[in-house]
Amino acid sequence: MMPSNSILNSENSLMPCNLCENHDVSILGTRSRSGNPLRTVICKHCGLVWSDPFPHDPKHFYAEEYRLNYKNTYSPKSKHVLRAGKVALGRYQKIKHLLEEKKTILDVGTGGGEFAYLLKSSGHELFGIEPNKGYAEYSVAEYGLNLHIGFIQDSQFSLESFDLITIWHVLEHTEDPFFVLCKLRDLLKPQGVLVVEVPNIEATCQTPKSTFHEAHLFNFNLETLVKMGLKAGLIAQKPIYSEDRGNMTLLFSKALDCVQPAESWFIADNAERISHLVKNHTNLNHFFSTKPYIRFLKRMYRSVSEKVYINRLNKNKRLLDQIYQNAGHVYHEY
Ligand SMILES: [Zn+2]
C-alpha cells in the first residue's frame, strides 16, 4: 500500500531540482552521519534527494579534504589497495561482457587507480580523469596510467571518442549530475556504453544515522537515475544491484534521438515511496534485523584475512597483480 501524501511536509529548496527543475521539496533529514547539521531535501515532483544548500563548495571541498589528508603525497596503505583491488574485480565482473574485444575506455574519478590498472592490464586503451593531484600522480607512477588531472565537468576530451565510460561512485559527489551525464553522453561513440554506479537511497543496509553524508550531494533511486539519464539522452538497461542493495549499477546506451520530449520529469509516487523507506529505517527496525550483524561479521572476516594476506606482500602493484591473477585475470594485449 502506498503511504499517504501526509508523509511529505512542504518546503522550498534554494536550488532547483537537478532533474525536474522544481523547488517544491520535503525535508528528509537534518543531520549527516557525523552528526553535523545537513539539510537533506526530496523533490516532491520526482523524488530526487539532495543536500540543500550544499554543505560546501564541491570542488573546493575535494581539493581541501585531500590536501589535508594526503598533502599531495598520496600513498595508500596496502590494506586499502587490497580492498580496492577486490572492488575493482567486482566491477570488472559486472561489465566483462563489454570487454571481450579491445576498447577505448574512460574511467571517471580514477581514485587510487586500481580499476583503471585492471582494464589497462587487460589490454584496453585506458584513459582516466581524477581531480586529486596526489591520487593521480600516485597512480601514474605506480601503474603507468594515462591520466588527466581535473574534473570531468571541465575536461576537453574529443566528442564521441570512447567505446566505454565508467563512473563508479562519483556522480553523487558532483554539483550538477545532469550536466555530467550530458557531458559523458557527448564523449561516447554512437554505439558506446556508459556505466554508472551510485549508492541506492532505498538501501537499508547501513545504520539509519549513516543515510546522509556531506560528500554525497545527491542521492538517487533507480527511478531518478533512469529518468535523469533519459533527460540527458541515455537509455538505461537493466540495473544490477549489490547483494545488500546498497549500490546500483546502470548501463546506459545513447538514445538515437537526442531531442528531449516535452513531457515533464515528474515521477508518480516516487517522493512518497522514498520518504516512507527512509523514515521507516529506524534504529529499532535496523537493529532488530540481522543486517547489522551480518555486516559486522563480514567486516571482521575481511579485516583478519587482509592482515594475513598483506603480511605476504608489500608493494602495492605486486599486491594488485597477485589478487588479479588469483581471480583468474589474464594480462594480455588484444
Ligand atoms: Zn524533481
Side-chain angles (χ1 to χ4, degrees):
M1 194 181 76
M2 284 309 296
S4 74
N5 260 334
S6 62
I7 197 165
L8 299 177
N9 51 46
S10 289
E11 297 279 336
N12 279 317
S13 61
L14 298 172
M15 65 188 94
C17 173
N18 195 252
L19 172 51
C20 75
E21 298 166 24
N22 281 292
H23 284 266
D24 305 321
V25 296
S26 174
I27 305 286
L28 204 53
T30 55
R31 299 250 162 222
S32 74
R33 66 174 64 171
S34 49
N36 294 321
L38 182 72
R39 181 185 190 247
T40 302
V41 300
I42 183 164
C43 172
K44 293 171 84 167
H45 297 265
C46 72
L48 187 68
V49 174
W50 73 94
S51 299
D52 185 90
F54 290 158
H56 47 70
D57 175 282
K59 290 182 177 171
H60 183 255
F61 173 76
Y62 287 108
E64 283 303 310
E65 277 291 290
Y66 289 118
R67 198 175 304 138
L68 282 175
N69 290 344
Y70 301 116
K71 300 185 172 63
N72 281 341
T73 53
Y74 173 75
S75 185
K77 289 181 180 170
S78 296
K79 71 171 182 180
H80 296 136
V81 173
L82 178 59
R83 219 169 269 177
K86 287 180 178 170
V87 169
L89 283 168
R91 291 174 176 175
Y92 192 92
Q93 281 299 317
K94 285 177 193 166
I95 58 167
K96 66 178 180 187
H97 62 287
L98 302 172
L99 300 168
E100 287 164 358
E101 57 192 45
K102 183 172 178 175
K103 296 278 170 74
T104 303
I105 304 172
L106 174 65
D107 183 44
V108 179
T110 310
E114 298 84 2
F115 178 71
Y117 174 54
L118 181 57
L119 293 177
K120 177 176 179 273
S121 67
S122 309
H124 298 285
E125 188 178 8
L126 189 281
F127 297 83
I129 180 161
E130 166 56 44
N132 181 258
K133 194 164 171 275
Y135 273 99
E137 287 176 350
Y138 162 79
S139 51
V140 168
E142 187 80 8
Y143 309 121
L145 296 178
N146 184 357
L147 275 193
H148 292 250
I149 300 176
F151 289 92
I152 185 66
Q153 298 90 308
D154 312 322
S155 65
Q156 303 286 327
F157 294 107
S158 304
L159 299 181
E160 303 200 341
S161 53
F162 296 102
D163 300 304
L164 177 64
I165 300 177
T166 56
I167 176 165
W168 307 98
H169 292 266
V170 171
L171 195 65
E172 69 274 19
H173 297 262
T174 64
E175 73 281 12
D176 190 347
F178 172 62
F179 176 81
V180 171
L181 289 177
C182 292
K183 175 111 192 175
L184 297 179
R185 181 194 182 280
D186 291 343
L187 299 181
L188 274 183
K189 290 181 184 174
Q191 303 303 319
V193 176
L194 169 66
V195 179
V196 179
E197 185 171 284
V198 293
N200 175 13
I201 183 65
E202 295 190 9
T204 53
C205 51
Q206 77 291 357
T207 58
K209 81 174 186 56
S210 301
T211 302
F212 302 114
H213 188 330
E214 278 92 353
H216 293 173
L217 301 177
F218 288 89
N219 297 269
F220 297 90
N221 73 342
L222 178 64
E223 285 74 11
T224 48
L225 184 55
V226 166
K227 193 146 261 196
M228 191 179 282
L230 197 59
K231 190 179 179 187
L234 293 158
I235 310 278
Q237 298 166 22
K238 196 170 179 288
I240 305 163
Y241 287 98
S242 59
E243 202 181 335
D244 62 6
R245 294 185 77 81
N247 298 320
M248 56 184 179
T249 315
L250 274 177
L251 277 57
F252 289 99
S253 51
K254 284 177 99 158
L256 294 177
D257 185 356
C258 197
V259 178
Q260 289 174 13
E263 70 175 81
S264 93
W265 301 103
F266 173 77
I267 305 176
D269 298 330
N270 202 32
E272 290 82 356
R273 176 188 154 76
I274 293 171
S275 300
H276 184 74
L277 285 166
V278 169
K279 290 177 181 176
N280 276 289
H281 184 42
T282 60
N283 277 328
L284 196 65
N285 288 339
H286 184 67
F287 291 106
F288 271 104
S289 78
T290 54
K291 284 172 191 158
Y293 310 107
I294 292 172
R295 196 172 164 88
F296 173 75
L297 287 172
K298 279 186 174 170
R299 288 191 171 182
M300 282 289 288
Y301 174 76
R302 183 175 77 180
S303 170
V304 172
S305 57
E306 280 169 1
K307 284 194 178 107
V308 171
Y309 203 96
I310 289 163
N311 282 339
R312 287 191 268 132
L313 290 162
N314 44 30
K315 187 85 167 68
N316 290 343
K317 180 170 179 295
R318 269 183 51 214
L319 188 62
L320 279 191
D321 287 339
Q322 186 74 62
I323 62 167
Y324 291 165
Q325 276 168 15
N326 285 356
H329 179 64
V330 180
Y331 291 70
H332 64 270
E333 297 287 332
Y334 284 98

